[in-house]
Amino acid sequence: MGLLVQFSDPAQSDVELRRAAVHSMANLCLSVPGQPCLDEPYRSVCFQTFLSVLQSSKTSNVDDIVFCMLLQNALKGIQSLLNGGKMKIMQTDQLGSLLAVLKKCMFHGLPGLSIEMPAALYPAPLPQYDKRSPVKEEQPEPAAFKPTGNRRKKSKGKQKKGEFAEEGKEDLCDAGNESNHGADVLKLNVESSPCADPRVCASGVACVPAGKDPLPSLGAAWKGVSSSESEYSDAEGGMQSKMRSYQAKVRQGALACFLSAIKSVEKRVLYGYWSAFVPDAPGIGSPQSVSLMTIALKDPSPKTRACSLQVLSAILEGSKQFLSIAEDANDHKRAFTPFSVTIASSIRELHRCLLLALVAESSSQTLTQIIKCLANLVSNAPYSRLNPGLLTRVWNQIKPYICHKDVNVRVSSLTLLGAVVSAQAPLPEVQLLLQQPSSSGLSNSGSATPHRFNFSEQWRKALPLEGGPSENPSGCLPPEPCWLIRLCISIIVLPREDPCSDSDANFPSGSVYEPSPVRLESLQVLALLVKGYFSMAQSYLLELGEVACKCMEETDPSIQLHGAKLLEELGTGVVQQHKPDSAVASEKRVPVSMVVTFWTMMLNGPLPGALQNSQHATLQTSACDALSSILPEAFSSLQNDQQILCITLLLGLNHSETPLVKAAAVRALGVYILFSCLRQDVMFVADTANAILNSLHDKSPSVRAKAAWSLGNLTDTLIVNMETMGQSFQEEFSDLLLLKMLRSATEASKDKDKVKSNAVRALGNLLHFLQPCHVAHPRFREAIEESLQALVSTVQSEATMKVRWNACYALGNVFKNSALPLGEAAWAAQAFSALSSVVKSCKNFKVRIKSATALSIPSRRECYGATEQFCQIWGALVEALQKSEDTEDFLEFKYSASLRTQICQALLHLLSLATNTDLPLIWETIRAKGDAIKCYVVQYMKSGVEDNEAGTHTDLCERERLLQGAIEHLHGVEKHPECKTGGRVSVYLEDVLTNHTGATELAEA
């Protein structure tokens, strides 16, 4: 290592020796499976050596090609260090130095550009991103940008940045003319562009050029540099062509190294360098800053262009949170540019540049990368905060590529459309795009898909169905048929017209249909569209059901699986639409009769077979999920044998040895147990309970989590049946099974949080369900004690807030059961103590609210125990009221009003139950803290209608009745000769009521 360091020193006069030393050092850094990596000191030495090589400048006596090879070897070495997984760039200076040299090498030898970089780039703290004036050139670092193109042409290009559709062609031509290599530089070819050629191929395939530079494997381009690769023809001649090739490999190596760096750095750190690599709209009169899009638009090598797009995709991936702050400015007269507006400008510029690259690209492989990059951008951009129009441009530009002759382009185009329909759905802009006529945006785009957009329905004629379009409810049909649904259905079910049109030989030429990846992507687009825009898809419900059936009948497991997923989305869309709180008017919902027809078709079709296909566990899982999405009203209208079939299949799959299938089956049973037509069937409830308990003891955590959720639903059903059917159901339900459920839920409450949160919910319901005969039974007594201890421990634990919230909710349910000895049992004192502690000190206000709710549930004074305990609860609630605005987390502050509301209700509830022995201690608290309490109670009284976090709806009159009821009760108590407060508590409350009445009258006046 010492010799290599010596020979690779910048002072080494023999450049060839220096290159060989760096090459050897890079090979030492390669990570070989089964071999130990370099130790940390050696890795640091190598990294600094490679960095110094990349920072060095070429001297006049060094051959250009040798210098390129030197840079390639240094880049390969850094990439090997990063890919080995042991090298983590933690220091800002180290990362800044690396990114600076990578940016320099990314443009090495790029025609038309000469860029100088500082020794290091520095991250901009997010609140201080925009330090430039809007009219100055945006340079994220003090780089010298030296364009060699014609100034007049650059000026023309910048005037056109706003409107792509009309002026994009001329803008791109100008960008291409800035290069010194006419034939090799990216530029718009009007004759061959898919967006400029109005002709349609005879085969019905878009006349989009496949390109002259195929990439055997884009993935391989990132692995390293091969000296045998050549991207230029021999006709270009001699050393100049060879030098260009080596320069391109340096750029590719730098981009490959950058990609590895992105994977080695936290995204929040990386986004500090956003403006150094991602374009922003230039200021008026300023040139465009160099970025990754500069390479994508101007590099003559298609492989390099593809590499830059892969890097940009990696940056955009997972950027949703960072980009979520973006917002278009409405006020154009601000003295400064907010960071949110800067990011919005950057998003707009990315759209503009990627669409320019799309129409100019001739290489199919690079075209695929452009579309994938667009899909990543669309998936992460916050369109609801941006002015509409961006997605419309993307939508119209991508349409011609859906039937491009390259399979990968077709697949990525559909992926992009899927990203559009799933981006913050539903968006009004996308809703309008889906309603466009099929020809919209295609007349001047060289569309080659007329048969796709206007396909016939001959495939459906063999299977006439009830409930056609004429039976659709009013308002279901969109003004125009949804062309995207039509397109996807045609790709999935229709034979393609020209089976020999694919340029990719990896797919069987004898296939009748489109290649499998295209059909799979179409199925995913349909599923996403149904999920985000069900109102558009509901008029095609039966037709899409047939598509799902056809897919599940095929032999390709992937097609079967996506058919089942489409079925699940259709079922879920119907269920969501029919929920009681749905915003969809009843006359615009899918009729229940049509839903029954839909599920009858499924159950008479391939769905039962998919559920029993033990060779394909993933398909079974998706089929279970699909079966659980049936509308309850439709299930009750199915034929009896079909209902039995569904239940029998799910109970059988609950014994599957595959955890995925078992988890899906027990979850589906948890859905069915809530169906009104099934929950009153004691036999079904018992069978389901036994199946759930079986899964609750499974060794798989995911199965136990789903089983605990289903157990919570099952116990919800027990409570509903108890309230609606009375003792008849309770007497029929097996005591032995009830005890088994209680013990299993207690055991599950000690499991992981995902299991525990629903286990404690189930415990609360079960303890509420118990009857006096159960409470008195010796076998139950021990189980009750253990379950209550588990609930109290969970409330006091450091578990997640969701678990503690459910535990407080469960104790509230326990307090509703009058058969339990609340005032006497030792566990009751522990429960009240735990809730009193939580209501005062828990960091999460929603948990505090639920604990205050639980403390206000017992309906009789004796339930609260002795005077000392009663007054401790009173004191805890008063203290909690005073602390209701104290929080370290600002996000909790929005719940403080709901917390005060619930505490005030709990305090008035306690006063309405207080006895003469309680009042002296209550009066002591009022005397010490009466002014603060009065202020909060008056505020509670005047807060009017409020739907608080506790789930109670209290209007003004109800609050006044609650206060008046407490006053009347206290009047009666204070008249007792043994009462020592002398009516002072009731007088205090009357004063509160007077203050409230006076404030109300003043407000009305």
Side-chain angles (χ1 to χ4, degrees):
M1 180 65 78
L3 281 174
L4 292 178
V5 172
Q6 180 184 340
F7 291 151
S8 61
D9 190 88
Q12 174 60 246
S13 57
D14 188 341
V15 181
E16 186 57 42
L17 177 60
R18 186 184 178 202
R19 186 204 64 77
V22 173
H23 179 73
S24 300
M25 196 178 289
N27 286 338
L28 283 175
C29 296
L30 277 172
S31 178
V32 180
Q35 297 291 326
C37 297
L38 278 178
D39 292 335
E40 171 55 34
Y42 296 117
R43 289 201 301 269
S44 297
V45 169
C46 290
F47 182 80
Q48 288 302 325
T49 301
F50 297 143
L51 204 59
S52 64
V53 168
L54 295 173
Q55 288 171 336
S56 63
S57 301
K58 188 182 90 66
T59 56
S60 57
N61 63 331
V62 178
D63 181 72
D64 285 333
I65 291 178
V66 173
F67 185 68
C68 284
M69 293 171 70
L70 180 66
L71 294 178
Q72 286 180 58
N73 289 323
L75 289 165
K76 179 183 176 184
I78 291 180
Q79 187 182 6
S80 297
L81 286 172
L82 294 171
N83 288 346
K86 298 289 184 181
M87 184 84 184
K88 291 293 180 186
I89 306 171
M90 305 300 292
Q91 293 143 4
T92 301
D93 288 346
Q94 194 179 45
L95 179 59
S97 299
L98 176 61
L99 294 180
V101 295
L102 290 181
K103 184 166 183 179
K104 177 183 174 184
C105 293
M106 278 162 41
F107 297 97
H108 182 76
L110 183 64
L113 278 183
S114 175
I115 181 170
E116 295 177 6
M117 292 295 299
L121 295 177
Y122 294 97
L126 296 190
Q128 303 172 19
Y129 254 98
D130 32 322
K131 294 183 179 179
R132 66 183 176 88
S133 165
V135 296
K136 291 182 180 178
E137 175 184 353
E138 165 142 356
Q139 288 290 355
E141 68 288 322
F145 178 36
K146 301 179 180 178
T148 59
N150 185 297
R151 287 187 178 182
R152 181 181 61 83
K153 291 180 179 179
K154 292 189 77 66
S155 175
K156 282 171 62 181
K158 278 184 287 296
Q159 292 170 2
K160 294 185 268 301
K161 71 181 180 68
E163 290 295 325
F164 165 70
E166 294 77 18
E167 304 176 72
K169 300 175 185 177
E170 187 180 353
D171 182 59
L172 198 64
C173 288
D174 291 336
N177 289 334
E178 289 176 13
S179 168
N180 296 328
H181 309 283
D184 299 319
V185 171
L186 179 67
K187 58 184 178 180
L188 181 62
N189 186 332
V190 176
E191 279 72 29
S192 63
S193 167
C195 292
D197 186 358
R199 295 170 298 166
V200 175
C201 296
S203 64
V205 179
C207 299
V208 183
K212 301 179 181 179
D213 285 299
L215 287 171
S217 170
L218 281 177
W222 295 100
K223 301 294 183 185
V225 180
S226 168
S227 60
S228 63
E229 295 172 0
S230 175
E231 292 170 330
Y232 299 89
S233 65
D234 294 336
E236 292 186 54
M239 292 300 296
Q240 187 180 11
S241 172
K242 188 176 181 182
M243 186 179 72
R244 288 181 193 168
S245 177
Y246 274 92
Q247 288 173 337
K249 287 170 185 173
V250 171
R251 299 196 295 275
Q252 292 161 22
L255 290 164
C257 197
F258 191 10
L259 189 64
S260 297
I262 290 170
K263 295 174 182 177
S264 303
V265 177
E266 286 186 50
K267 281 292 177 74
R268 63 183 181 82
V269 175
L270 180 68
Y271 291 141
Y273 301 90
W274 174 272
S275 60
F277 298 98
V278 180
D280 186 19
I284 299 171
S286 303
Q288 175 75 61
S289 59
V290 290
S291 67
L292 287 165
M293 281 310 308
T294 308
I295 303 171
L297 285 167
K298 298 184 178 181
D299 200 294
S301 162
K303 184 181 287 188
T304 312
R305 297 196 298 272
C307 287
S308 71
L309 291 158
Q310 280 186 315
V311 173
L312 184 56
S313 280
I315 293 173
L316 288 171
E317 191 174 353
S319 63
K320 184 173 289 186
Q321 185 176 358
F322 172 69
L323 297 181
S324 65
I325 61 170
E327 188 170 23
D328 276 322
N330 295 321
D331 181 8
H332 299 285
K333 297 181 180 180
R334 292 181 179 177
F336 67 96
T337 305
F339 181 58
S340 59
V341 175
T342 301
I343 294 298
S345 170
S346 184
I347 292 172
R348 289 189 167 278
E349 186 66 6
L350 273 173
H351 280 80
R352 187 185 78 88
C353 292
L354 285 169
L355 290 176
L356 282 173
L358 180 72
V359 295
E361 188 55 65
S362 59
S363 163
S364 295
Q365 288 76 13
T366 309
L367 197 58
T368 302
Q369 291 303 320
I370 294 170
I371 299 170
K372 285 181 177 178
C373 196
L374 267 171
N376 251 335
L377 175 60
V378 169
S379 297
N380 290 284
Y383 292 101
S384 59
R385 295 169 60 90
L386 303 174
N387 293 333
L390 290 176
L391 287 175
T392 302
R393 296 189 191 100
V394 171
W395 187 270
N396 291 332
Q397 287 299 115
I398 201 60
K399 277 185 177 181
Y401 296 91
I402 298 168
C403 286
H404 190 281
K405 58 185 174 181
D406 186 275
V407 175
N408 293 320
V409 174
R410 297 209 295 278
V411 171
S412 56
S413 300
L414 289 165
T415 302
L416 176 54
L417 286 173
V420 171
V421 297
S422 60
Q424 297 177 302
L427 287 173
E429 182 180 0
V430 177
Q431 187 94 24
L432 290 172
L433 290 171
L434 289 169
Q435 292 173 348
Q436 283 181 351
S438 60
S439 58
S440 177
L442 291 167
S443 57
N444 297 318
S445 302
S447 166
T449 61
H451 70 290
R452 290 297 187 200
F453 287 98
N454 302 288
F455 73 96
S456 61
E457 298 185 1
Q458 67 269 22
W459 71 279
R460 302 183 67 236
K461 290 180 180 177
L463 187 60
L465 292 168
E466 301 174 18
S470 61
E471 294 183 27
N472 280 335
S474 61
C476 274
L477 279 170
E480 288 273 348
C482 181
W483 71 268
L484 184 55
I485 293 179
R486 287 289 184 207
L487 170 71
C488 290
I489 292 176
S490 72
I491 290 173
I492 296 163
V493 302
L494 288 183
R496 57 183 187 172
E497 295 189 357
D498 184 4
C500 301
S501 64
D502 286 315
S503 59
D504 195 327
N506 293 329
F507 301 99
S509 57
S511 175
V512 176
Y513 299 106
E514 288 280 355
S516 181
V518 182
R519 299 179 72 208
L520 287 173
E521 204 61 44
S522 297
L523 280 166
Q524 290 193 62
V525 171
L526 279 180
L528 290 169
L529 196 153
V530 168
K531 183 177 182 179
Y533 299 88
F534 185 74
S535 60
M536 294 294 300
Q538 68 182 69
S539 55
Y540 299 91
L541 180 66
L542 298 180
E543 191 172 348
L544 290 171
E546 291 179 56
V547 172
C549 279
K550 185 180 186 306
C551 290
M552 286 191 286
E553 288 169 348
E554 293 195 20
T555 55
D556 185 339
S558 297
I559 297 289
Q560 291 177 317
L561 177 62
H562 282 81
K565 288 185 179 296
L566 173 60
L567 175 57
E568 180 191 356
E569 291 297 347
L570 289 166
T572 303
V574 172
V575 170
Q576 293 292 332
Q577 197 181 66
H578 281 262
K579 279 190 172 180
D581 57 351
S582 171
V584 182
S586 56
E587 67 273 8
K588 292 190 176 182
R589 298 176 184 177
V590 179
V592 175
S593 59
M594 184 183 291
V595 183
V596 173
T597 302
F598 174 84
W599 282 106
T600 300
M601 175 172 63
M602 295 300 118
L603 293 169
N604 289 336
L607 184 56
L611 286 161
Q612 297 173 80
N613 187 350
S614 58
Q615 302 301 313
H616 191 357
T618 315
L619 177 61
Q620 281 184 299
T621 303
S622 288
C624 278
D625 291 337
L627 197 60
S628 70
S629 67
I630 187 169
L631 184 70
E633 294 88 336
F635 184 88
S636 62
S637 298
L638 289 174
Q639 294 179 6
N640 193 49
D641 59 335
Q642 290 177 327
Q643 293 184 14
I644 294 171
L645 174 65
C646 293
I647 295 167
T648 305
L649 287 169
L650 291 177
L651 288 172
L653 289 173
N654 192 66
H655 296 284
S656 171
E657 295 180 359
T658 306
L660 275 176
V661 177
K662 192 169 185 177
V666 75
R667 179 193 168 276
L669 287 171
V671 173
Y672 277 37
I673 198 67
L674 298 175
F675 288 4
S676 57
C677 61
L678 294 176
R679 69 182 178 214
Q680 296 181 358
D681 184 339
V682 178
M683 290 304 297
F684 171 73
V685 173
D687 288 343
T688 302
N690 282 310
I692 291 171
L693 293 180
N694 171 269
S695 294
L696 196 61
H697 296 98
D698 195 86
K699 62 182 180 181
S700 166
S702 62
V703 173
R704 296 199 303 274
K706 298 293 186 186
W709 179 81
S710 295
L711 182 62
N713 285 3
L714 171 62
T715 56
D716 285 343
T717 289
L718 295 184
I719 299 301
V720 172
N721 286 346
M722 179 181 73
E723 292 171 350
T724 56
M725 298 173 66
Q727 289 191 345
S728 61
F729 179 84
Q730 290 169 301
E731 290 169 359
E732 285 187 63
F733 197 75
S734 165
D735 289 353
L736 191 60
L737 180 56
L738 185 61
L739 181 60
K740 189 178 176 183
M741 290 169 65
L742 192 60
R743 286 174 173 165
S744 295
T746 303
E747 190 63 30
S749 70
K750 302 168 188 174
D751 206 329
K752 296 181 179 180
D753 281 356
K754 286 187 177 179
V755 179
K756 187 184 294 186
S757 62
N758 283 298
V760 294
R761 174 167 73 101
L763 276 178
N765 284 331
L766 288 168
L767 291 166
H768 182 195
F769 183 78
L770 294 177
Q771 299 305 298
C773 61
H774 301 133
V775 177
H777 200 291
R779 282 198 301 177
F780 270 92
R781 197 175 300 131
E782 183 183 353
I784 291 170
E785 288 277 353
E786 289 178 1
S787 59
L788 283 160
Q789 288 295 337
L791 285 180
V792 171
S793 299
T794 305
V795 169
Q796 295 173 324
S797 71
E798 294 299 319
T800 59
M801 295 307 167
K802 179 180 178 182
V803 173
R804 297 181 73 186
W805 187 96
N806 275 346
C808 292
Y809 175 81
L811 281 178
N813 270 339
V814 172
F815 294 164
K816 292 176 183 177
N817 191 343
S818 57
L820 293 171
L822 274 187
E824 307 163 9
W827 57 259
Q830 294 172 351
F832 284 126
S833 176
L835 291 170
S836 298
S837 174
V838 167
V839 81
K840 291 186 294 185
S841 59
C842 185
K843 292 180 180 179
N844 187 283
F845 276 24
K846 293 173 83 172
V847 176
R848 288 200 207 182
I849 291 167
K850 192 50 65 177
S851 62
T853 305
L855 288 170
S856 65
I857 283 176
S859 57
R860 302 191 314 276
R861 169 60 187 86
E862 53 268 28
C863 294
Y864 286 98
T867 296
E868 184 181 358
Q869 182 170 289
F870 183 86
C871 292
Q872 283 175 351
I873 295 170
W874 164 269
L877 287 168
V878 170
E879 186 179 341
L881 189 61
Q882 291 181 295
K883 292 182 176 179
S884 60
E885 294 180 359
D886 298 345
T887 176
E888 296 175 2
D889 187 353
F890 183 74
L891 294 176
E892 295 298 323
F893 192 75
K894 62 183 177 182
Y895 300 114
S896 60
S898 294
L899 175 59
R900 286 192 294 274
T901 295
Q902 192 56 52
I903 292 174
C904 287
Q905 287 180 201
L907 287 171
L908 292 176
H909 175 71
L910 290 180
L911 288 173
S912 67
L913 298 176
T915 63
N916 62 327
T917 56
D918 302 324
L919 290 184
L921 289 173
I922 290 175
W923 173 246
E924 289 298 322
T925 309
I926 291 175
R927 189 169 60 177
K929 304 174 181 178
D931 290 342
I933 297 172
K934 183 186 294 185
C935 177
Y936 285 121
V937 175
V938 169
Q939 185 182 6
Y940 156 74
M941 295 298 296
K942 71 177 183 181
S943 56
V945 180
E946 184 177 337
D947 180 7
N948 59 50
E949 187 61 34
T952 57
H953 303 262
T954 54
D955 59 22
L956 185 60
C957 293
E958 186 178 341
R959 295 180 186 203
E960 289 178 352
R961 281 196 300 271
L962 188 60
L963 179 57
Q964 192 66 51
I967 292 170
E968 291 173 3
H969 170 76
L970 290 171
H971 274 312
V973 172
E974 289 173 335
K975 288 178 182 177
H976 196 281
E978 295 182 10
C979 183
K980 299 177 182 179
T981 58
R984 285 173 290 189
V985 179
S986 58
V987 169
Y988 173 81
L989 285 185
E990 286 174 342
D991 187 38
V992 171
L993 184 59
T994 303
N995 282 358
H996 162 66
T997 306
T1000 304
E1001 290 174 353
L1002 188 63
E1004 291 175 354

